[in-house]
Amino acid sequence: MSFIGIRSHHSLSSFNFKEDSMATGDECCSIQLIDGDGSFNDTGIEPFIKEVKLHECGLSYAVVSIMGPQSSGKSTLLNHLFYTNFREMDAFKGRSQTTKGIWMAKCAGIEPCTLVMDLEGTDGRERGEDDTAFEKQSALFALAVSDIVLINMWCHDIGREQAANKPLLKTVFQVMMRLFSPRKTTLMFVIRDKTRTPLENLEPVLREDIQKIWDSVPKPQAHKETPLSEFFNVDVVALSSYEEKEELFKEQVANLRQRFFHSIAPGGIAGDRRGVVPASGFSFSAQQIWKVIKENKDLDLPAHKVMVATVRCEEIANQKFAAFIANENWCLLEEAVQSGPVAGFGKKLNSILYASLSEYDAEATYFDEGVRSAKRKQLEEKLLQLVQPAHQSVLGHLRSGTLEKFKEAFEKALNGGEGFSLAAHNCTESYISLFDEGYSDAVVELANWDCSKVRDKLRRDIDAHVASVRAAKLSELTSSYEAKLNEALACPVEALLDGAANETWPSIKELLQRETESAVSGLSSALSGFDMDAEAKEKMLSSLQDYARGVVEAKAREEAGRVLIRMKDRFSTLFSHDSDSMPRIWTGKEDIRAITKTARSASLKLLSVMAAIRLDDTVDNIENTLTSALVDTKNNAAVTDRSITTFDPLASSTWEQVPPAKTLITPVQCKSLWRQFRAETEYSITQAISAQEASKRNNNLMPPPWAIVALIVLGFNEFMTLLRNPFYLGVIFVGYLIVKALWVQLDISGEFRHGVLPGLLSISTKFLPTVMDLLRKLAEQGQSPATNYPQTNPGAESKGFQNGSTSSSMSSSASSGVTAPGNGIEYTSPSKEE
């Protein structure tokens, strides 16, 4: 089997149709569709279909076939009727089989496109009497695929049983009834070599025979009452003898040819045909029909039509899907959505999708509607499944972009002073609407995709961001008011506790209440813009109140940790300074005991104030307990007396009427702190007493008046002696100067300021070096010429001694206290500043 394309007519020089064919511009090409052995030419039919451009015809094509006895002129009739080039019998070589199998050719010059099949003749000598299988198969195939079947028969065979193909028609009708549903094929009986008998007389006889055949055929239950007209249109034409009346034959054939123009149009020969296979599926349909007939399988034409439609529509759908994947516009669109949103995505994608589906519809329009629609639906689903990731990417970009824009707008609105709740509501609604607009621009019309999940995700993200900003703003707001409270309370509370007095805790309580009310009022006003529920707002305000109280309590605990330092500072301040805050000078007139008691009482007051937090309207007995236990001398004496056992009020870890949570310093800790306080302040008291005693001694250097009178009376003689001998006065004066110099150099008054014994010990260690240094200086000055001794500044020398070492002090003393004139020693008194 091979494809045979014949571009011109061969061996038909006697045919007049050659010129007509050439005039139409059509060329005839033919193919052996089925060979004599019954093999279908599946490799040659596709090139033939492409050659005749059948796939472009849709449903606008017709198939004509011819069947009849061997050597009855079937091929000759077809060649004259359709300008084909089927091989004809050479009458001069004898009558024999010319056509083997089934041949197909395109009719030249006939619209619409018409294919004609030339079947092998029946009742042929070559196949024999019993080999009728191919005849039946080919006849059934012709009825199954053709719109018009020409039954070629001799005029003189009308009325005969065998020669008129009645047995074949009976068998074919029977198989048609069993295998096929009504298809409405036109049976055109062509009566050859018409005799003088008028056609009007021949046609009724022929129709009656056909009806009898139909009536005698066993019918399935579904078609018991089905008339012949439901399956077939019967038409009868008569042609004169080709050999005897060739010109008349050609004229009649030309007239018959005109009937095949627009044969499938309403009113045409096959105008009421049904179950037509689209042109693009003809080759597959013909091949499958022949396969089923050859295998003798049941075949129902609508089912076959569905099968053909299924195969072809699926092929078309796959082609369109592959074309869509390779579509440049789709590739660019798919690439673009990976990096960001694409404006007009839905419009662009819908255009590509509709174009692909329109192409499918155009190619599959003539196939079974149910199959066509089902395959179109499958194609839609595949295309939508292909484009869905891109659509999701667009929605993802749209969601993320909308969220970022919302964040910027929301922050800008808040910075512009707009209320939080109002800004959140307005921005949320605005940008949800913006998302909806963006989604409407990206919607795929063919898909019924629900964007609510993406929209809900966007709203959840927006709500989460609003909640995050809300929490941050509330935290910032709370922190701001907490910082204000901390600033307003910490330092004032510290100052109030430092100056502990009876009104300390009432003042702290008043301060706390005032500042807390101010902060709560401010926070309450600030929270009005957050549209909070009453419970949450009350909780925040209560938390701020608790924070304020916590600041006071924390500061109180902090100060309680430094209470010993505070007590010592207070004691030192009161003990060392008078009522005018001037440093106290212990002249001997001060009552150290009273001063000490006052200072200790003030320190104890500080301890009692620090012992507990008193922000509530409760009364405690802490101060009295501390006073009676630590300051009252009688109670102290009773406690220290080992012979008497008494109850110690401070031997406890809690205060009466004071909860443990409000306790800053326990009674036991107070007792320990007081003991440490007394020990560390004892030195200051001792020093004050020593300084007072030293002052008293300094004030008592002059003898009593009676002693002075006694010295004058008893020393009168010695005084007169000194007056009579001035040399003694000089010696006494020099001795006075030396003693004065030693007094100044040794700082006698300063050394005894710390006590008698420490002063004596210090003077004893410095006395001898000072005397030796003084003598050395006097010796050096005595050996030097009188003119070499410059006039010295006693004040400067004395000051240098005070600031320098022992040796420098001696030198300064000597130079300030002694000068050597030419013939004697002159003593000068040091300045008062020394």
Side-chain angles (χ1 to χ4, degrees):
M1 295 181 295
S2 61
F3 171 70
I4 302 174
I6 302 175
R7 298 289 181 179
S8 62
H9 307 284
H10 61 87
S11 303
L12 297 174
S13 57
S14 60
F15 294 165
N16 294 331
F17 62 80
K18 180 176 180 180
E19 295 180 0
D20 296 336
S21 175
M22 297 301 294
T24 61
D26 286 346
E27 294 183 352
C28 180
C29 55
S30 60
I31 182 178
Q32 187 176 28
L33 188 62
I34 300 173
D35 64 9
D37 297 329
S39 299
F40 194 90
N41 189 2
D42 53 355
T43 59
I45 190 171
E46 286 299 331
F48 172 79
I49 295 296
K50 291 181 180 178
E51 180 72 18
V52 301
K53 300 180 180 180
L54 181 64
H55 61 279
E56 299 177 1
C57 296
L59 295 179
S60 183
Y61 76 101
V63 180
V64 180
S65 59
I66 189 168
M67 55 188 294
Q70 180 176 300
S71 302
S72 61
K74 299 188 299 299
S75 300
T76 302
L77 175 61
L78 293 179
N79 289 337
H80 284 82
L81 186 60
F82 299 113
Y83 301 164
T84 55
N85 56 4
F86 295 120
R87 184 183 175 205
E88 299 178 7
M89 183 188 71
D90 188 350
F92 295 98
K93 293 182 179 181
R95 306 186 72 82
S96 62
Q97 187 181 52
T98 303
T99 303
K100 292 183 179 181
I102 301 175
W103 285 72
M104 176 180 285
K106 178 185 178 184
C107 302
I110 293 182
E111 292 295 334
C113 177
T114 301
L115 301 179
V116 61
M117 292 191 300
D118 188 9
L119 275 63
E120 179 180 320
T122 61
D123 198 18
R125 171 177 62 84
E126 288 76 8
R127 290 192 180 272
E129 182 179 356
D130 298 326
D131 188 9
T132 60
F134 185 80
E135 294 178 3
K136 297 176 181 178
Q137 291 171 352
S138 59
L140 184 59
F141 177 76
L143 289 172
V145 302
S146 302
D147 300 304
I148 305 170
V149 178
L150 302 179
I151 301 177
N152 195 53
M153 58 186 303
W154 298 107
C155 181
H156 52 261
D157 286 337
I158 295 175
R160 297 177 182 178
E161 186 67 23
Q162 298 294 332
N165 284 332
K166 288 182 180 180
L168 177 61
L169 286 176
K170 185 175 182 179
T171 302
V172 169
F173 283 174
Q174 184 175 352
V175 176
M176 284 284 292
M177 291 293 294
R178 183 172 59 88
L179 298 182
F180 295 160
S181 296
R183 187 176 182 273
K184 207 60 176 294
T185 303
T186 298
L187 297 178
M188 179 176 285
F189 290 87
V190 181
I191 302 174
R192 304 291 297 277
D193 296 347
K194 176 179 161 307
T195 63
R196 294 180 179 179
T197 305
L199 179 62
E200 292 78 6
N201 296 335
L202 295 175
E203 183 176 355
V205 176
L206 188 58
R207 288 182 179 273
E208 182 179 354
D209 291 342
I210 297 300
Q211 186 64 45
K212 288 180 180 180
I213 295 173
W214 177 260
D215 294 338
S216 63
V217 170
K219 302 179 182 66
Q221 188 64 33
H223 299 295
K224 283 291 185 181
E225 305 298 330
T226 303
L228 176 65
S229 59
E230 187 69 22
F231 274 86
F232 302 102
N233 291 323
V234 178
D235 197 358
V236 180
V237 295
L239 299 175
S240 299
S241 174
Y242 171 68
E243 294 179 355
E244 297 178 0
K245 301 177 180 179
E246 182 177 356
E247 294 301 326
L248 181 59
F249 172 82
K250 292 180 179 179
E251 181 182 351
Q252 292 172 345
V253 169
N255 293 331
L256 179 61
R257 173 182 170 84
Q258 296 301 316
R259 295 187 62 186
F260 285 91
F261 281 89
H262 307 293
S263 59
I264 60 175
I269 300 175
D272 57 348
R273 65 179 181 167
R274 295 194 296 265
V276 184
V277 175
S280 61
F282 175 78
S283 61
F284 176 78
S285 174
Q287 185 175 358
Q288 292 299 315
I289 289 175
W290 181 250
K291 180 179 179 181
V292 172
I293 292 175
K294 283 283 290 182
E295 295 175 357
N296 197 23
K297 292 181 179 179
D298 291 347
L299 175 67
D300 183 55
L301 193 58
H304 172 75
K305 179 182 177 183
V306 169
M307 177 191 67
V308 174
T310 301
V311 174
R312 280 298 299 143
C313 289
E314 187 167 353
E315 290 177 354
I316 297 171
N318 291 336
Q319 292 171 3
K320 299 311 167 189
F321 183 75
F324 183 90
I325 294 177
N327 186 283
E328 182 179 359
N329 292 333
W330 159 245
C331 294
L332 293 175
L333 191 62
E334 185 180 27
E335 182 179 356
V337 300
Q338 302 302 321
S339 57
V342 178
F345 173 83
K347 184 177 180 181
K348 296 176 182 178
L349 182 58
N350 288 327
S351 176
I352 303 173
L353 288 172
Y354 282 131
S356 180
L357 292 174
S358 296
E359 293 175 3
Y360 169 86
D361 292 337
E363 294 189 28
T365 185
Y366 301 114
F367 290 99
D368 181 79
E369 182 178 358
V371 176
R372 183 177 73 239
S373 300
K375 293 302 178 181
R376 190 184 195 278
K377 185 66 176 177
Q378 292 179 8
L379 177 60
E380 284 184 17
E381 292 175 355
K382 289 178 65 177
L383 291 176
L384 292 178
Q385 186 176 3
L386 176 67
V387 304
Q388 188 173 22
H391 183 258
Q392 291 296 325
S393 296
V394 170
L395 292 186
H397 292 311
L398 181 61
R399 182 188 61 80
S400 59
T402 304
L403 180 61
E404 291 302 319
K405 292 178 182 178
F406 168 82
K407 291 180 179 179
E408 295 176 2
F410 186 46
E411 183 178 1
K412 184 177 180 180
L414 293 179
N415 293 336
E418 190 173 351
F420 184 90
S421 296
L422 182 61
H425 178 268
N426 292 341
C427 290
T428 299
E429 294 302 322
S430 174
Y431 284 91
I432 287 294
S433 299
L434 182 64
F435 173 82
D436 292 338
E437 292 177 5
Y439 175 76
S440 64
D441 183 60
V443 69
V444 180
E445 297 176 357
L446 292 174
N448 190 24
W449 292 330
D450 184 12
C451 76
S452 60
K453 291 184 178 180
V454 180
R455 193 176 189 273
D456 292 343
K457 178 66 167 59
L458 173 62
R459 183 171 285 278
R460 288 196 301 270
D461 291 342
I462 289 177
D463 291 343
H465 180 71
V466 170
S468 175
V469 175
R470 177 193 182 94
K473 291 293 183 181
L474 289 177
S475 177
E476 180 182 348
L477 194 61
T478 303
S479 299
S480 173
Y481 279 95
E482 287 179 352
K484 291 179 180 179
L485 278 174
N486 192 66
E487 182 180 357
L489 293 175
C491 293
V493 168
E494 181 178 353
L496 289 172
L497 291 175
D498 186 39
N502 291 330
E503 297 301 320
T504 296
W505 282 110
S507 299
I508 292 176
K509 182 179 178 182
E510 182 181 354
L511 173 67
L512 173 62
Q513 184 177 0
R514 182 176 66 253
E515 296 298 334
T516 301
E517 288 178 355
S518 175
V520 167
S521 176
L523 180 60
S524 179
S525 299
L527 292 179
S528 60
F530 286 85
D531 194 21
M532 298 178 64
D533 58 274
E535 183 178 355
K537 184 176 181 180
E538 185 62 30
K539 185 177 181 181
M540 287 193 65
L541 297 178
S542 177
S543 177
L544 186 63
Q545 292 174 342
D546 295 340
Y547 176 82
R549 191 181 184 95
V551 169
V552 173
E553 293 182 356
K555 179 55 66 174
R557 295 183 188 279
E558 180 183 344
E559 293 301 313
R562 298 198 295 262
V563 65
L564 181 60
I565 298 174
R566 298 290 190 189
M567 290 170 65
K568 290 192 295 182
D569 289 344
R570 173 167 289 196
F571 178 85
S572 176
T573 300
L574 295 177
F575 186 78
S576 302
H577 295 77
D578 57 18
S579 58
D580 297 327
S581 299
M582 296 296 293
R584 198 184 297 275
I585 299 176
W586 304 105
T587 61
K589 299 178 181 180
E590 296 83 10
D591 187 354
I592 294 180
R593 182 179 298 276
I595 294 173
T596 300
K597 184 175 182 180
T598 301
R600 284 180 174 176
S601 297
S603 299
L604 186 66
K605 180 67 175 180
L606 177 63
L607 180 61
S608 67
V609 170
M610 290 287 193
I613 298 173
R614 301 175 178 87
L615 295 177
D616 301 322
D617 296 330
T618 57
V619 179
D620 58 68
N621 200 29
I622 295 178
E623 184 176 0
N624 294 334
T625 302
L626 290 176
T627 302
S628 62
L630 301 177
V631 178
D632 194 338
T633 55
K634 295 181 179 180
N635 290 342
N636 290 338
V639 171
T640 56
D641 189 356
R642 296 183 178 180
S643 62
I644 303 174
T645 303
T646 60
F647 171 73
D648 187 357
L650 299 181
S652 174
S653 60
T654 58
W655 298 102
E656 292 183 5
Q657 300 176 342
V658 178
K662 303 299 181 183
T663 301
L664 298 177
I665 306 173
T666 64
V668 174
Q669 291 173 337
C670 287
K671 185 175 182 179
S672 176
L673 287 170
W674 186 256
R675 185 182 299 112
Q676 187 176 356
F677 166 75
R678 287 175 62 93
E680 294 183 9
T681 57
E682 193 70 32
Y683 178 75
S684 298
I685 300 172
T686 303
Q687 287 294 94
I689 295 173
S690 299
Q692 195 178 52
E693 291 178 353
S695 179
K696 289 180 180 180
R697 286 195 301 270
N698 291 335
N699 293 334
N700 293 333
L701 291 178
M702 294 298 294
W706 63 268
I708 295 175
V709 173
L711 286 175
I712 294 174
V713 173
L714 296 176
F716 179 78
N717 293 333
E718 287 79 4
F719 178 71
M720 294 303 294
T721 301
L722 291 174
L723 290 177
R724 292 188 186 98
N725 190 355
F727 178 75
Y728 291 150
L729 290 175
V731 172
I732 292 173
F733 182 70
V734 170
Y736 169 74
L737 291 178
I738 293 173
V739 172
K740 185 65 175 180
L742 289 175
W743 182 276
V744 173
Q745 295 300 325
L746 293 176
D747 191 17
I748 301 300
S749 61
E751 294 295 342
F752 279 98
R753 189 179 297 116
H754 301 293
V756 177
L757 183 59
L760 291 176
L761 293 175
S762 178
I763 291 173
S764 64
T765 57
K766 296 193 300 181
F767 179 77
L768 185 59
T770 302
V771 172
M772 295 300 295
D773 186 67
L774 184 61
L775 293 177
R776 182 175 60 80
K777 292 294 183 182
L778 289 174
E780 290 176 356
Q781 290 180 2
Q783 294 175 359
S784 300
T787 57
N788 291 340
Y789 287 90
Q791 188 68 28
T792 59
N793 187 344
E797 294 294 337
S798 176
K799 185 176 181 181
F801 176 80
Q802 291 177 2
N803 296 331
S805 62
T806 305
S807 61
S808 63
S809 298
M810 293 294 297
S811 175
S812 176
S813 175
S815 62
S816 62
V818 180
T819 58
N823 54 1
I825 299 175
E826 181 181 356
Y827 295 90
T828 60
S829 175
S831 65
K832 188 175 181 179
E833 291 179 359
E834 294 179 351

